[in-house]
Amino acid sequence: DAGVTQSPTHLIKTRGQHVTLRCSPISGHKSVSWYQQVLGQGPQFIFQYYEKEERGRGNFPDRFSARQFPNYSSELNVNALLLGDSALYLCASSHRESGYTFGSGTRLTVV
Amino acid sequence: DQQVKQNSPSLSVQEGRISILNCDYTNSMFDYFLWYKKYPAEGPTFLISISSIKDKNEDGRFTVFLNKSAKHLSLHIVPSQPGDSAVYFCALGYDQGAQKLVFGQGTRLTINP
């Protein structure tokens, strides 16, 4: 059974561009959360989606948006990229009984 | 304003000895407490958790202790093995409509042969 899959694994973008990151949760998991991990820090909560609805949002600017599709996969979009957006973006899927499982992340570098 | 703190960025322990990783928090609303392990180029992997109604939970070599009055969480690994070398994060949460985890900054554990 596949775990949480994220694509792409690595990405380099220029300041001002936008980026779309993708996540497929574990089969049967209806909740997807996004986290940003800057080097030397712990992951920070960006969004949670459950059954295609936003359940929570962290302290991130409106340049960050996300959505969840009927098959429970999710996209994270970041507009007007800044150098400070360079980070590892982690997706986690969860189910009541099984807790959180993280994907391997997308390493975004903004130059 | 950091609600969750891991004050030791790194820890070095001899193989076979006990590793103790610590985590302090300020928000008394947290009611579930988890530890994750992270290797380079991988996502965090769940290790062990404890609910707010317990003060200890064991799983093999790993034991998590919770002191709610001190707002302190610790992870004990005994005996430590070279494969335990990784970055360890504590992650805390409470039901606020969203399942949001607040992570500490991480502690890099190195087990020396």
Side-chain angles (χ1 to χ4, degrees):
Chain A
D1 189 21
V4 178
T5 57
Q6 291 188 244
S7 63
T9 55
H10 296 84
L11 200 53
I12 299 176
K13 289 286 191 177
T14 306
R15 269 182 303 174
Q17 286 189 312
H18 75 272
V19 68
T20 298
L21 311 181
R22 295 178 176 83
C23 172
S24 292
I26 290 173
S27 177
H29 286 197
K30 299 180 180 179
S31 173
V32 169
S33 300
W34 288 94
Y35 287 78
Q36 180 198 63
Q37 187 183 7
V38 173
L39 199 61
Q41 299 290 324
Q44 273 203 291
F45 175 78
I46 310 176
F47 286 110
Q48 188 210 1
Y49 276 78
Y50 180 78
E51 289 278 17
K52 303 183 288 293
E53 290 192 4
E54 182 183 304
R55 277 289 189 89
R57 185 187 181 111
N59 190 21
F60 281 82
D62 291 344
R63 300 184 295 108
F64 288 76
S65 63
R67 55 180 176 166
Q68 188 177 31
F69 299 99
N71 66 354
Y72 304 113
S73 67
S74 178
E75 283 182 355
L76 175 70
N77 294 284
V78 188
N79 292 326
L81 285 166
L82 303 173
L83 295 179
D85 296 330
S86 295
L88 179 67
Y89 287 85
L90 294 161
C91 173
S93 75
S94 61
H95 184 276
R96 273 198 306 281
E97 283 90 36
S98 62
Y100 300 83
T101 302
F102 283 86
S104 297
T106 294
R107 171 73 61 190
L108 172 65
T109 303
V110 182
V111 297
Chain B
D1 178 26
Q2 280 196 297
Q3 298 184 69
V4 179
K5 287 187 181 177
Q6 292 177 254
N7 290 317
S8 299
S10 63
L11 177 67
S12 187
V13 174
Q14 204 70 23
E15 182 179 358
R17 307 294 288 268
I18 184 170
S19 296
I20 300 176
L21 298 104
N22 294 303
C23 177
D24 295 294
Y25 62 96
T26 56
N27 189 341
S28 57
M29 291 188 67
F30 288 125
D31 59 11
Y32 52 95
F33 308 85
L34 306 92
W35 283 95
Y36 281 86
K37 176 180 178 180
K38 188 178 185 300
Y39 294 116
E42 294 183 13
T45 302
F46 171 74
L47 201 54
I48 191 169
S49 66
I50 189 168
S51 73
S52 59
I53 60 172
K54 291 187 166 186
D55 56 15
K56 178 181 174 182
N57 187 30
E58 282 183 81
D59 184 2
R61 297 185 298 113
F62 303 92
T63 303
V64 56
F65 294 91
L66 175 62
N67 184 332
K68 288 197 76 177
S69 61
K71 295 188 179 67
H72 180 78
L73 183 71
S74 63
L75 174 68
H76 293 207
I77 306 172
V78 56
S80 300
Q81 299 174 354
D84 296 331
S85 295
V87 178
Y88 289 78
F89 293 97
C90 59
L92 284 61
Y94 62 94
D95 189 359
Q96 47 185 309
Q99 291 176 322
K100 168 186 171 181
L101 291 178
V102 182
F103 283 79
Q105 304 93 314
T107 296
R108 180 174 301 278
L109 175 65
T110 303
I111 307 302
N112 301 307

